[in-house]
Amino acid sequence: MITLPDLPYPHNALEPHISARTLEFHHGKHHQKYVDKANKFLEGSGLAGQSLEEIILKTAGDPARTSIFNNVAQVWNHTFYWQCMKPGGGGKPSGRVAEKIDSSFGSYDKFVEELKNAGTGQFGSGWAWLVASGDRLEVMKTPNAENPLHHGKTPLLTVDVWEHAYYLDYQNRRPDYLAAFIDELINWDFVKKNLAEASEKEAATS
Ligand code: MN3
């Protein structure tokens, strides 16, 4: 059984940038519904009990298992997204993450521009990501439930650009939500941890 993980902070912790009401709906209704549907579709599939990552890799691109993929990937994506934010986060990172951003994008400002373009340029629902690909970092966007794992990339950071993530607080102003996410919310400690794990994995396989 897949279960809904707790939010890593209280519902009001990200105010005024993301309201308690948004998190109550987004976590308590949307994320919960993906969990419930994932469990329903996994029943009798032979995949129940495997890790979310394994199920994502095994069902991606399989038209017969779209419902499993969509719901399991959305469970994974949301669990990851909550951890990408913290109260008092955002702004320029430091240390190894900053070095990697500079060497991959040229500067922090270029990275911000790319992430904003990915987030606003994702037509309809989806996600914008910072990923590790080999020894470089890249920004990418994915539609709907897709995530970088089945594109052979390691997710480091994501921002949910489905309307349900920002509509109550920003209505149609997706760029304002993205700016608040980048300037006020990004949990760089989480990105740093993900980057360290990606580097270890890269070293072990090369
Ligand atoms: Mn969402």
Side-chain angles (χ1 to χ4, degrees):
M1 278 293 270
I2 297 170
T3 54
L4 181 72
D6 288 336
L7 278 181
Y9 30 71
H11 286 110
N12 63 359
L14 305 182
E15 290 188 337
H17 312 293
I18 294 179
S19 65
R21 194 167 149 76
T22 289
L23 286 187
E24 280 157 15
F25 273 91
H26 198 177
H27 177 256
K29 304 280 185 200
H30 291 275
H31 196 176
Q32 178 72 62
K33 196 168 168 199
Y34 294 126
V35 168
D36 294 344
K37 285 186 149 186
N39 284 322
K40 183 180 145 234
F41 289 122
L42 281 167
E43 228 171 88
S45 68
L47 294 166
Q50 301 190 23
S51 74
L52 299 180
E53 287 88 348
E54 281 175 310
I55 298 170
I56 288 168
L57 292 174
K58 286 178 181 169
T59 59
D62 180 349
R65 300 203 275 190
T66 305
S67 300
I68 295 177
F69 173 81
N70 282 342
N71 287 285
V72 171
Q74 282 293 76
V75 172
W76 192 96
N77 293 349
H78 282 90
T79 301
F80 191 78
Y81 167 65
W82 307 132
Q83 298 175 80
C84 289
M85 301 183 284
K86 68 171 190 181
K92 229 173 165 168
S94 60
R96 188 164 153 65
V97 173
E99 285 164 23
K100 276 293 218 190
I101 283 177
D102 286 345
S103 64
S104 302
F105 299 97
S107 68
Y108 171 73
D109 290 344
K110 284 296 286 179
F111 155 70
V112 167
E113 193 186 316
E114 279 201 34
L115 189 64
K116 283 182 174 171
N117 286 343
T120 53
Q122 173 54 45
F123 182 77
S125 298
W127 302 81
W129 306 82
L130 174 67
V131 301
S133 178
D135 63 352
R136 286 178 57 78
L137 307 190
E138 293 171 4
V139 163
M140 65 186 286
K141 60 186 181 207
T142 59
N144 302 315
E146 283 202 28
N147 89 20
L149 290 169
H150 60 91
H151 296 282
K153 321 256 186 193
T154 306
L156 304 179
L157 172 76
T158 195
V159 54
D160 187 343
V161 295
W162 286 58
E163 276 188 352
H164 66 228
Y166 60 87
Y167 211 83
L168 291 175
D169 300 323
Y170 298 90
Q171 292 75 51
N172 60 337
R173 291 175 286 118
R174 193 191 284 185
D176 292 355
Y177 158 69
L178 284 166
F181 176 87
I182 291 165
D183 296 336
E184 312 287 348
L185 296 175
I186 292 177
N187 180 354
W188 286 115
D189 295 332
F190 181 63
V191 177
K192 187 175 154 191
K193 181 184 87 100
N194 294 331
L195 177 62
E197 286 171 9
S199 305
E200 273 171 35
K201 214 166 63 181
E202 175 73 13
T205 54
S206 61

